């Protein structure tokens, strides 16, 4: 954790800028923003047309002069000005005025991916400074998510968390409020989407609308990635050669095989973390297992695949998509007590 609990208690709001969704927690009201990290811009005059869910629905459906952009990629702000404009509109004038009235010295907290480079951290800080924050505290996403899903982070025992994001997957073993060992794998829900797109293009000469990828994954529900899932499902797309609309019944076993490559990379990351973890902590993990958080943790059957591959218990958090911002909120509200160590002889 880059910031101490005492510093975080002084913060007035917290932001989780994710590649897929942006969430804002305000001390007192709680979670006030939970919207896609998308903005639509008029390229003729630079005007912001829409943000959040409305902008996401415009993806692939706009005329040439409207551009749909994502100012956050892989948990890193890639367009500071657009990220600031998006956040201003998501918060609204009323909430921004309420924040400014709270304190002359406005403090903010933000999640940053594990081992984010100084440039990425600086981009996050500048984004929130543009919203009026005079000081920004950074918290590792792994620790924030662990706190948000109720793991005993501050205790002298091992907990393993897996943050399944849109652009990356982060795995870590935590103990005594710190990260013992961690790995960031550049494979997330978007990589699974890409694998599905490539499979349908090569095997069925079919292209999918961008917004139909998640429904396709949901079609693998039930036991999802396991052989006990549905045998086939019908999808609608566009023929690569003719450009005409076409329906295809696909074999879900072939889809499961297509997404094994990105999922294997995630397994390799878990094995790497376990290899470098101290033996005593690994013994704790054999009983407690892995806790999955993040939007991509809901991919049907992913938990079962990890359970079979590692031989460890695998649990999905109650609300995996909002664990990180809930953890930041708990720190802001002072709900987390630091571990107090008594000095020898005291």
């Amino acid at each position: 954790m880059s910031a101490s609990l005492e510093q975080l208690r002084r913060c007035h709001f917290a932001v989780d800028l994710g590649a897929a969704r942006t969430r804002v927690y305000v001390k007192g009201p709680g979670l006030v923003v939970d919207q896609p990290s998308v903005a639509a811009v008029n390229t003729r005059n630079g005007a912001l047309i829409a943000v959040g869910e409305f902008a996401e629905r415009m993806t692939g459906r706009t005329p040439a002069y409207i551009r749909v952009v994502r100012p956050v990629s892989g948990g890193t702000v890639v367009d500071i000005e657009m990220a600031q404009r998006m956040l201003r509109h998501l918060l609204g004038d009323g909430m921004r005025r309420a924040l400014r009235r709270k304190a002359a010295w406005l403090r903010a907290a933000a999640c940053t991916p594990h081992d984010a480079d100084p440039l990425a951290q600086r981009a996050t800080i500048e984004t929130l400074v543009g919203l009026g924050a005079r000081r920004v505290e950074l918290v590792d996403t792994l620790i924030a998510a662990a706190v948000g899903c109720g793991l005993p982070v501050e205790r002298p025992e091992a907990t393993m968390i897996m943050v399944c994001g849109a652009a990356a997957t982060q795995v870590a073993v935590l103990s005594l409020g710190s990260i013992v060992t961690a790995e960031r794998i550049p494979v997330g829900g978007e990589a699974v989407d890409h694998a599905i797109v490539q499979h349908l293009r090569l095997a069925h000469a079919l292209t999918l609308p961008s917004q139909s990828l998640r429904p396709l994954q949901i079609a693998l529900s039930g036991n999802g990635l396991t052989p006990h899932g549905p045998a086939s499902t019908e999808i609608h797309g566009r023929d690569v050669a003719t450009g005409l609309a076409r329906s295809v019944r696909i074999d879900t076993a072939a889809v499961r095989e297509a997404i094994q490559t990105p999922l294997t990379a995630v397994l390799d990351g878990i094995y790497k973390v376990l290899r470098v973890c101290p033996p005593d902590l690994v013994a704790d993990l054999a009983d407690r297992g892995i806790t999955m958080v993040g939007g991509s943790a809901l991919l049907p059957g992913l938990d079962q695949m990890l359970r079979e591959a590692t031989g460890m218990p695998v649990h999905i958090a109650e609300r995996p998509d909002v664990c990180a911002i809930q953890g930041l909120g708990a720190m802001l509200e002072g709900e987390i007590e630091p571990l107090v160590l008594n000095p020898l002889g005291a």
Side-chain angles (χ1 to χ4, degrees):
M1 185 186 305
S2 303
S4 67
L5 288 173
E6 185 59 37
Q7 290 171 324
L8 290 169
R9 287 193 187 102
R10 298 174 185 169
C11 293
H12 303 93
F13 71 102
V15 177
D16 178 15
L17 281 166
R21 298 185 75 86
T22 292
R23 300 177 176 92
V24 181
Y25 185 101
V26 176
K27 184 183 286 188
L31 185 63
V32 296
V33 172
D34 184 1
Q35 295 279 340
S37 304
V38 187
V41 184
N42 186 327
T43 56
R44 293 173 178 171
N45 54 21
L48 195 63
I49 297 174
V51 296
E53 291 181 356
F54 186 38
E56 187 175 51
R57 289 199 300 269
M58 296 169 66
T59 303
R61 304 171 186 268
T62 61
Y65 67 92
I66 296 179
R67 185 165 58 98
V68 178
V69 297
R70 293 182 177 270
V72 184
S73 176
T76 301
V77 178
V78 294
D79 187 337
I80 295 174
E81 181 184 356
M82 188 55 64
Q84 290 174 349
R85 296 174 68 184
M86 180 185 73
L87 278 170
R88 287 193 195 101
H89 281 76
L90 288 176
L91 280 170
D93 293 336
M95 182 56 69
R96 285 191 287 120
R97 282 196 296 268
L99 283 173
R100 283 196 295 268
R101 285 197 299 267
K102 281 196 171 188
W105 190 270
L106 192 63
R107 292 173 179 256
C111 287
T112 55
H114 179 67
D115 70 11
D117 59 72
L119 194 61
Q121 294 179 1
R122 186 65 190 172
T124 302
I125 292 172
E126 288 187 12
T127 299
L128 297 187
V129 167
L131 289 178
R134 304 293 295 274
R135 183 182 176 92
V136 180
E137 308 291 353
L138 300 180
V139 180
D140 196 302
T141 302
L142 290 163
I143 293 181
V147 170
C149 64
L151 292 178
V153 178
E154 297 293 336
R155 296 181 187 173
E157 55 190 45
T159 54
M160 190 170 190
I161 188 163
M162 178 176 167
V163 180
C164 308
T169 300
Q170 304 173 70
V171 184
V173 175
L174 310 175
S175 181
L176 290 172
S178 300
I179 296 173
V180 178
T181 178
E183 186 72 19
R184 187 167 183 261
I185 307 109
V187 172
E190 292 175 355
V192 175
D193 290 345
H194 181 70
I196 294 174
V197 167
Q198 290 297 103
H199 167 72
L200 293 174
R201 189 178 185 89
L202 295 175
H204 300 280
L206 197 74
T207 58
L208 283 181
S210 59
Q211 297 184 11
S212 68
L213 292 174
R214 293 301 172 183
L216 178 59
Q217 292 181 11
I218 295 171
L220 300 175
S221 60
N223 292 315
L225 303 179
T226 69
H228 307 294
S232 64
T233 185
E234 186 174 357
I235 61 169
H236 307 282
R238 188 179 68 180
D239 190 280
V240 173
T242 65
L244 300 176
R246 183 160 63 93
S247 298
V248 173
R249 179 158 291 277
I250 63 169
D251 181 8
T252 54
V255 175
R256 287 193 290 269
E257 185 177 349
I259 62 179
Q260 284 303 310
T261 299
L263 296 179
T264 299
V266 173
L267 280 175
D268 290 342
I270 294 175
Y271 295 149
K272 185 174 181 181
V273 167
L274 292 173
R275 279 197 300 269
V276 298
C277 187
D280 290 343
L281 295 183
V282 175
D284 289 346
L285 296 176
D287 296 327
R288 297 188 180 90
I290 305 171
T291 301
M292 297 173 59
V293 302
S296 297
L298 297 173
L299 183 64
L302 178 58
D303 56 333
Q304 185 171 342
M305 188 201 76
L306 294 177
R307 198 175 294 118
E308 293 174 356
T310 62
M312 298 166 58
V314 178
H315 317 283
I316 300 178
E318 185 176 348
R319 294 189 62 194
D321 52 335
V322 296
C323 282
I325 193 65
Q326 284 181 336
L328 279 180
M331 296 175 193
L332 263 61
E333 303 286 1
E335 298 174 4
I336 307 300
E337 293 296 330
L339 179 67
V340 178
L341 299 177
N342 292 323
L344 294 176

